[in-house]
Amino acid sequence: MKKIYIAGFDVFESNSIEIGKKYVQLCKNYGFEGLYPLDNIVDFNQEKRKIAQDIFKANVNLINQCDIVIANLNSFRGKEADSGTVWECGYATALGKKVYGYMKKEQNYIDSFSKDEKNVIDDVTYDLENRVIEDFDYPINLMIACSIEKMVFGEFEDCLKEICK
């Protein structure tokens, strides 16, 4: 049975355990074993940096075990995907794992900026700090968009359906 690592900022939600159980069950329903980061056993009665190291090592171990990563690439605390999730995608890609991402909105990255958040000069779009906003017709930074197997517009289960095609 192929294993899927479930990446995303869902681990920060107040109902993260329930979300994980739901995603693991969905994986099972589609014939996969789901590996959810919060299923790791970590001793939280240690100093914070030791806890962080243990979480990191446990999640890396899950990625090493998996065949596929499904990543929630929706915006998190801003306009970009969660940086930890992005790291996991890059690591998995470097290992030769198949990575699928999902986002709720199908829009070009540049369109995530409102008119008040950007300026266009000579057909180049800049943010308010005068930095170029990339425009490659992807919903996310090109390094993620070009490295994943498939970007799915929808939810976690929609990625599972895509994998099973």
Side-chain angles (χ1 to χ4, degrees):
M1 178 181 295
K2 289 192 176 184
K3 296 178 181 179
I4 295 177
Y5 179 77
I6 302 164
F9 61 83
D10 306 283
V11 297
F12 299 113
E13 300 291 349
S14 60
N15 62 338
S16 58
I17 300 296
E18 292 80 17
I19 292 170
K21 287 179 181 176
K22 175 185 169 190
Y23 289 171
V24 167
Q25 183 60 52
L26 282 169
C27 287
K28 189 175 183 179
N29 294 349
Y30 284 85
F32 300 100
E33 180 182 347
L35 306 175
Y36 189 60
L38 294 184
D39 290 340
N40 288 314
I41 297 171
V42 175
D43 178 6
F44 284 88
N45 295 315
Q46 316 177 72
E47 74 147 299
K48 289 180 181 181
R49 290 189 180 207
K50 175 68 168 107
I51 296 168
Q53 283 294 317
D54 288 353
I55 292 169
F56 172 79
K57 288 175 186 174
N59 290 348
V60 165
N61 183 46
L62 289 179
I63 295 168
N64 289 338
Q65 291 177 47
C66 80
D67 303 288
I68 300 166
V69 170
I70 294 181
N72 179 345
L73 295 174
N74 287 293
S75 298
F76 179 67
R77 298 182 179 148
K79 295 194 182 304
E80 298 278 343
D82 170 54
S83 57
T85 303
V86 169
W87 185 91
E88 291 169 329
C89 290
Y91 180 68
T93 298
L95 293 176
K97 313 282 183 173
K98 291 190 177 203
V99 178
Y100 291 79
Y102 67 93
M103 299 176 81
K104 289 179 184 174
K105 278 182 149 181
E106 185 171 357
Q107 71 175 18
N108 192 329
Y109 177 71
I110 204 165
D111 294 330
S112 67
F113 291 80
S114 71
K115 288 182 182 179
D116 296 334
E117 297 175 307
K118 61 188 177 185
N119 298 309
V120 179
I121 302 167
D122 296 326
D123 293 326
V124 177
T125 305
Y126 297 87
D127 67 17
L128 296 181
E129 294 181 12
N130 209 31
R131 296 183 186 123
V132 173
I133 301 172
E134 67 177 65
D135 185 13
F136 296 105
D137 290 330
Y138 288 119
I140 196 165
N141 178 278
L142 73 92
M143 296 301 287
I144 296 296
C146 292
S147 66
I148 63 174
E149 191 78 18
K150 176 92 177 187
M151 176 66 73
V152 175
F153 296 101
E155 302 289 334
F156 180 83
E157 187 172 9
D158 297 312
C159 270
L160 288 168
K161 290 175 183 175
E162 184 65 34
I163 293 167
C164 290
K165 282 186 177 177

